[in-house]
Amino acid sequence: MSIQTKQTLTTESKAEHFDLGASEWYLNRELTWLEFNKRVLWEAEDERTPLLERVKFIAIVSSNLDEFFMKRIGGLKQQVGAGIIELSVDGRSPQQQITECYAVVRQLEAKKEMLLTQLIGLLEQQDIRILPYLELSKEQQKIMREYYIQNIFPLVTPQAIDPAHPFPFISNLSLNILTGVGSAETDEMTLVRIKIPVGSKVPRFIQVGAEQLYVALGDLIANNLDLLFPGMKIVFCDLFRVTRNAITEKDEEQADDLLQMIESELRERKFAPVVRLEIAATMGILQSGRLAAELGLDEEKDVFVVNQRLAMTDLFQIAGIIRPDLLYPPHHPCDHPKLTGLPNIFHAIREQGSILLQHPYESFVTTVERFVKEASRDPNVQAIKMTLYRTSAGTKIVQYLIDAALNGKQVAVVVELKARFDESANIKWAHRMESAGIHVTYGVVGLKTHSKVIYVVRQDYNGLRLYAHIGTGNYHAGTARLYTDLGMLTCDKKIGEELTELFNYLTTGLVPKRNYQNLLIAPNKLKSKLLEKIEREISKHSVKSPGLIQFKMNALEDMDITRALYQAAQAGVKIDLIIRDTCRLRPGIPGLSDKIRVISIVGRFLEHSRIFYFKNGGEEEYFIGSADCMKRNLESRVEVVTPVQKPELQAVLRQIITIQLTNQRSVWEMQADGQYSQCQSKDKQLGVQEMLIKLANSRFDEAQKIKIHKKAKRYGINRNTD
């Protein structure tokens, strides 16, 4: 009997001990996502993090939790309301998930409040102060009252709550004051709601004078209520905030006009049910009970008492104070060494072959934006096609597409109208592009177009050539400096031909099953191909040539992929998973997943790239793309994952994976119970992202030296002489 046969029999006998359909082997999606936020919050606790960056991490977690309630808790509450009792793959009912999530959220909120108290004290030592209004000097109070009268008071609209004035509409995530106003002569009291007018023109924290001294806007309004209610007494005054459900999807297949349907969803979202009420700890039980009742909430479960400060998302303002000594060292993305100094990006791609891009370490502007800019102006370019999931006003790509259309080129853009919280912006982009003559479509009914692809048809010297950019991140200049992403510029003939097929499908919705041989496209082939490749790794695994699978992505949620990874591990295949947040798989269980390691990386940038690696018996395969291993990505979205076949580019991906797996500074390792422990660095090791910054700069510097040396050699200059 061969070694491999014995190994297979051993694996099969081990596998009998584990029912891979049992819920105990799968972690909960929501709870593992909340665990990720614990790791993010640690950055606010870590004394090695610069002070204002610590404040920023509190704001990030606060923003994340707002979105969590709008999307995830909102969806679970809908399931409860619909009477759904079906258990999740981890064995929890919708109500059980809500209950357990609430317990973790309360822990996170308590930790945030404790940290904010500490950080406010540390900020004071750096002459940055956030003071209660009543702790200002009399002169400062006078100045702020005058500021309030001139700049805020006209924006404030009190709304009484009585039989003649029903309970007002409370907008999502708005900060509000609930006050009781009484007459000086009688015991009668009226409830009044005041919306605090925080917005793009009115900051949450108002600066007092020229120094870095701030007072919260709600505090300023609360201490000047006599201007709103002259001659009346203020019985109580407390802050509150509501969060509304953001899940308002309609059936696309029943819609005659997708654009109108999305616009209708946005209007409905504004009035969606409330899922969370946050109140100041000073609020009385009668007032909180009244609010909960009016908003249709369970006072015991859905009301969150905040001792420190509501709406900590607004701390982004404080984190944005210009104090370089309290921030990360400035990071300036370097130009890509393969493109620097070359006048034509298409010639560079054609002559050098595929080029791998690393953002934010390498500039998005001088690579991706440049690609579209040159395409819009190049007289040899005949057509540009792209998918657009999220973008921003600061991104010039839309303008370049408009320029291309005005220059007579055929331009087609697939705009995803259902990109959560960017629907309104994408509708505006779509209208703007359509008015310039761009062919705008909204993808395929029933699927989100989440792929990141730009496709350029150019008349080269020897005929039509297809150029492309395929990436892991959005075409968004802002997030390109904050998220880690990968992209590839290529003119590979086979990839270009398959992108032609993809865009024909996206713009018509017809013939979904096309013959993709190189690209892994969801929902057509990606999931089945990943499962095949995992199975192939099992079949090629042996003692002499052990199998190896390495995935880097944001989330591992799909049960089929998780089960397949368990089976591979049972067969002896070593598996490394670099998962940013949600992870259903439990590593380190003897006989089941002791061959699997799961880590998570947290740092100054948000990890967002996706890499798939298979050892494949020595014929190694690398892929990058837009998809995570989540059921929605694999089955309900259009995703593009591309092979990276050029050895030089594979070496760069290998370097990225190795750095992340061996680093001790910014890495958290997952335990079998779903908890994480932080790896401890024995020396002052750089974090993963700092190492990649350094490597990108070194690559650029080295390339510049080589170019200078070649230039000097060409002109016969000896650079070693004076």
Side-chain angles (χ1 to χ4, degrees):
M1 186 181 294
S2 70
I3 293 174
Q4 190 152 0
T5 304
K6 288 181 180 178
Q7 194 174 45
T8 302
L9 290 174
T10 304
T11 299
E12 287 175 353
S13 63
K14 279 185 179 180
E16 292 174 4
H17 294 88
F18 296 94
D19 174 10
L20 294 183
S23 62
E24 63 185 301
W25 309 124
Y26 302 93
L27 296 168
N28 181 261
R29 171 182 176 175
E30 322 303 347
L31 293 172
T32 57
W33 189 85
L34 289 172
E35 281 295 321
F36 164 64
N37 280 275
K38 288 183 182 179
R39 301 193 292 279
V40 177
L41 193 57
W42 166 254
E43 296 296 311
E45 186 173 2
D46 192 339
E47 294 180 358
R48 297 171 296 181
T49 306
L51 182 54
L52 286 176
E53 304 290 354
R54 295 171 70 180
V55 175
K56 182 186 73 176
F57 279 109
I58 291 180
I60 289 171
V61 172
S62 301
S63 176
N64 287 349
L65 290 178
D66 286 345
E67 188 171 321
F68 179 73
F69 272 88
M70 287 189 283
K71 291 168 61 177
R72 305 308 308 167
I73 297 297
L76 289 170
K77 279 181 170 285
Q78 283 183 335
Q79 292 180 39
V80 172
I84 294 174
I85 57 174
E86 182 181 348
L87 302 184
S88 59
V89 297
D90 51 277
R92 291 172 171 84
S93 69
Q95 186 56 58
Q96 282 178 296
Q97 292 181 71
I98 292 173
T99 301
E100 291 186 48
C101 286
Y102 276 11
V104 178
V105 168
R106 293 184 196 281
Q107 292 173 12
L108 280 167
E109 294 290 357
K111 187 68 171 288
K112 277 168 50 188
E113 292 189 18
M114 179 196 74
L115 287 173
L116 183 59
T117 300
Q118 294 177 4
L119 295 182
I120 286 176
L122 293 172
L123 286 170
E124 286 183 2
Q125 296 175 19
Q126 298 295 331
D127 297 320
I128 299 173
R129 294 177 293 160
I130 305 173
L131 288 183
Y133 181 85
L134 294 177
E135 291 186 18
L136 299 177
S137 68
K138 294 298 181 184
E139 182 60 28
Q140 287 171 330
Q141 289 183 11
K142 181 180 177 181
I143 292 170
M144 294 312 297
R145 183 178 175 90
E146 186 59 32
Y147 174 89
Y148 170 68
I149 292 170
Q150 296 297 324
N151 298 280
I152 308 297
F153 185 64
L155 301 173
V156 177
T157 304
Q159 295 174 287
I161 305 171
D162 58 28
H165 303 89
F167 192 82
F169 171 76
I170 311 295
S171 54
N172 185 41
L173 301 182
S174 62
L175 195 58
N176 306 271
I177 291 174
L178 182 69
T179 184
V181 182
S183 169
E185 290 78 25
T186 69
D187 292 334
E188 293 183 3
M189 184 187 71
T190 301
L191 278 181
V192 178
R193 175 258 184 162
I194 304 166
K195 181 178 179 180
I196 298 173
V198 176
S200 59
K201 304 291 185 183
V202 182
R204 171 75 182 282
F205 300 99
I206 309 298
Q207 191 168 0
V208 182
E211 54 186 316
Q212 297 291 356
L213 170 61
Y214 298 87
V215 63
L217 180 56
D219 195 17
L220 178 59
I221 295 173
N223 282 281
N224 288 279
L225 288 178
D226 60 299
L227 295 171
L228 283 173
F229 311 110
M232 303 190 77
K233 63 180 180 181
I234 307 303
V235 182
F236 59 82
C237 178
D238 300 293
L239 291 175
F240 74 95
R241 183 174 183 253
V242 304
T243 309
R244 293 184 178 273
N245 189 359
I247 309 295
T248 56
E249 279 95 345
K250 297 183 177 180
D251 186 353
E252 288 182 39
E253 295 185 1
Q254 302 299 318
D256 294 324
D257 187 316
L258 184 59
L259 188 64
Q260 287 184 359
M261 187 198 80
I262 299 298
E263 289 174 330
S264 173
E265 284 183 8
L266 291 176
R267 288 191 294 270
E268 290 184 13
R269 184 182 296 171
K270 180 179 179 182
F271 300 99
V274 174
V275 295
R276 174 180 61 168
L277 170 63
E278 296 170 280
I279 62 171
T282 54
M283 183 176 287
I285 191 168
L286 291 177
Q287 287 75 45
S288 63
R290 172 75 182 273
L291 283 176
E294 293 284 1
L295 296 169
L297 297 175
D298 185 319
E299 186 180 358
E300 294 296 320
K301 298 176 181 177
D302 300 320
V303 178
F304 289 76
V305 179
V306 179
N307 291 296
Q308 179 62 249
R309 191 175 299 280
L310 274 75
M312 290 192 199
T313 304
D314 294 330
L315 290 169
F316 279 118
Q317 178 191 344
I318 301 301
I321 292 172
I322 307 302
R323 279 285 300 272
D325 57 319
L326 303 179
L327 297 166
Y328 286 126
H331 172 241
H332 304 289
C334 63
D335 290 338
H336 198 291
K338 297 283 187 181
L339 300 174
T340 305
L342 299 179
N344 189 303
I345 197 169
F346 300 106
H347 293 176
I349 298 168
R350 187 179 69 209
E351 292 165 9
Q352 299 180 80
S354 298
I355 297 171
L356 189 72
L357 312 177
Q358 296 183 56
H359 309 302
Y361 313 112
E362 293 163 343
S363 171
F364 176 83
V365 172
T366 61
T367 54
V368 180
E369 281 194 2
R370 177 187 172 187
F371 182 63
V372 183
K373 179 182 179 180
E374 289 194 24
S376 72
R377 300 177 182 183
D378 188 329
N380 293 321
V381 168
Q382 298 186 7
I384 305 172
K385 303 178 184 182
M386 77 173 290
T387 59
L388 194 64
Y389 191 75
R390 299 186 198 275
T391 189
S392 67
T395 307
K396 296 179 180 178
I397 283 179
V398 170
Q399 184 58 53
Y400 295 149
L401 294 171
I402 291 171
D403 292 344
L406 295 176
N407 288 336
K409 304 180 192 305
Q410 180 194 132
V411 183
V413 181
V414 181
V415 177
E416 180 47 70
L417 294 181
K418 302 183 296 298
R420 183 83 65 196
F421 305 124
D422 274 322
E423 300 96 336
S424 180
N426 284 3
I427 288 171
K428 291 176 183 175
W429 294 122
H431 284 318
R432 183 180 169 194
M433 288 188 289
E434 281 183 321
S435 65
I438 293 174
H439 303 294
V440 177
T441 58
Y442 305 124
V444 181
V445 171
L447 300 175
K448 274 189 179 181
T449 304
H450 187 250
S451 52
K452 328 295 183 187
V453 180
I454 303 171
Y455 167 86
V456 174
V457 182
R458 187 176 188 270
Q459 182 67 50
D460 276 5
Y461 68 93
N462 58 348
L464 283 182
R465 192 182 295 267
L466 309 177
Y467 294 84
H469 172 268
I470 302 174
T472 68
N474 293 305
Y475 296 115
H476 189 299
T479 56
R481 297 204 56 170
L482 300 174
Y483 294 7
T484 72
D485 273 304
L486 294 166
M488 186 171 74
L489 293 169
T490 186
C491 60
D492 182 279
K493 188 173 185 292
K494 293 178 181 178
I495 288 177
E497 289 171 349
E498 293 186 12
L499 288 178
T500 301
E501 292 293 319
L502 174 67
F503 277 97
N504 287 341
Y505 168 59
L506 289 175
T507 54
T508 65
L510 302 175
V511 195
K513 293 186 178 180
R514 296 178 183 250
N515 188 29
Y516 304 113
Q517 295 297 318
N518 296 277
L519 296 175
L520 307 184
I521 306 288
N524 185 302
K525 284 190 172 182
L526 176 56
K527 183 171 180 175
S528 61
K529 284 293 183 183
L530 288 176
L531 291 172
E532 283 178 21
K533 291 176 187 298
I534 293 170
E535 182 62 34
R536 182 190 63 192
E537 203 68 25
I538 295 173
S539 68
K540 292 192 174 185
H541 169 75
S542 67
V543 175
K544 288 185 177 180
S545 179
L548 178 62
I549 296 171
Q550 294 174 319
F551 290 172
K552 181 192 183 302
M553 52 195 163
N554 298 336
L556 171 59
E557 179 268 345
D558 184 83
M559 188 172 177
D560 296 325
I561 299 291
T562 304
R563 185 190 291 113
L565 291 172
Y566 276 144
Q567 291 169 337
Q570 287 181 301
V573 176
K574 186 176 185 296
I575 300 171
D576 294 316
L577 301 175
I578 306 168
I579 311 291
R580 186 187 74 195
D581 49 71
T582 297
C583 181
R584 285 204 184 277
L585 185 145
R586 296 176 56 188
I589 298 172
L592 176 65
S593 58
D594 44 359
K595 292 286 186 179
I596 304 177
R597 182 186 182 212
V598 180
I599 66 168
S600 175
I601 295 166
V602 181
R604 68 183 291 181
F605 306 125
L606 180 70
E607 290 292 328
H608 194 255
S609 58
R610 289 91 165 182
I611 305 172
F612 302 90
Y613 167 80
F614 300 91
K615 186 178 178 184
N616 189 26
E619 297 178 11
E620 298 176 305
E621 291 183 342
Y622 290 83
F623 299 85
I624 64 169
S626 58
D628 293 309
C629 285
M630 301 184 75
K631 185 179 177 67
R632 69 182 189 191
N633 295 88
L634 300 175
E635 298 180 11
S636 304
R637 292 186 173 187
V638 178
E639 306 276 8
V640 175
V641 172
T642 182
V644 179
Q645 296 170 322
K646 189 176 176 183
E648 178 186 347
L649 307 192
Q650 290 185 345
V652 175
L653 294 178
R654 170 50 46 204
Q655 183 182 54
I656 292 171
I657 293 170
T658 300
I659 287 172
Q660 298 194 345
L661 289 173
T662 57
N663 190 266
Q664 299 289 307
R665 167 65 180 86
S666 50
V667 173
W668 295 74
E669 187 146 0
M670 189 182 193
Q671 310 303 307
D673 61 358
Q675 301 295 308
Y676 285 76
S677 61
Q678 189 178 38
C679 297
Q680 298 297 320
S681 176
K682 294 180 180 179
D683 52 20
K684 293 185 178 180
Q685 183 185 34
L686 291 175
V688 166
Q689 296 169 355
E690 287 70 28
M691 291 180 72
L692 291 173
I693 288 173
K694 189 174 181 180
L695 282 170
N697 290 333
S698 296
R699 283 195 303 272
F700 178 78
D701 292 342
E702 186 62 30
Q704 291 303 102
K705 288 178 183 177
I706 292 171
K707 286 180 181 178
I708 292 170
H709 178 73
K710 285 182 178 179
K711 187 175 180 181
K713 192 173 181 181
R714 188 183 309 140
Y715 291 101
I717 301 171
N718 185 351
R719 297 189 60 83
N720 293 321
T721 61
D722 293 330

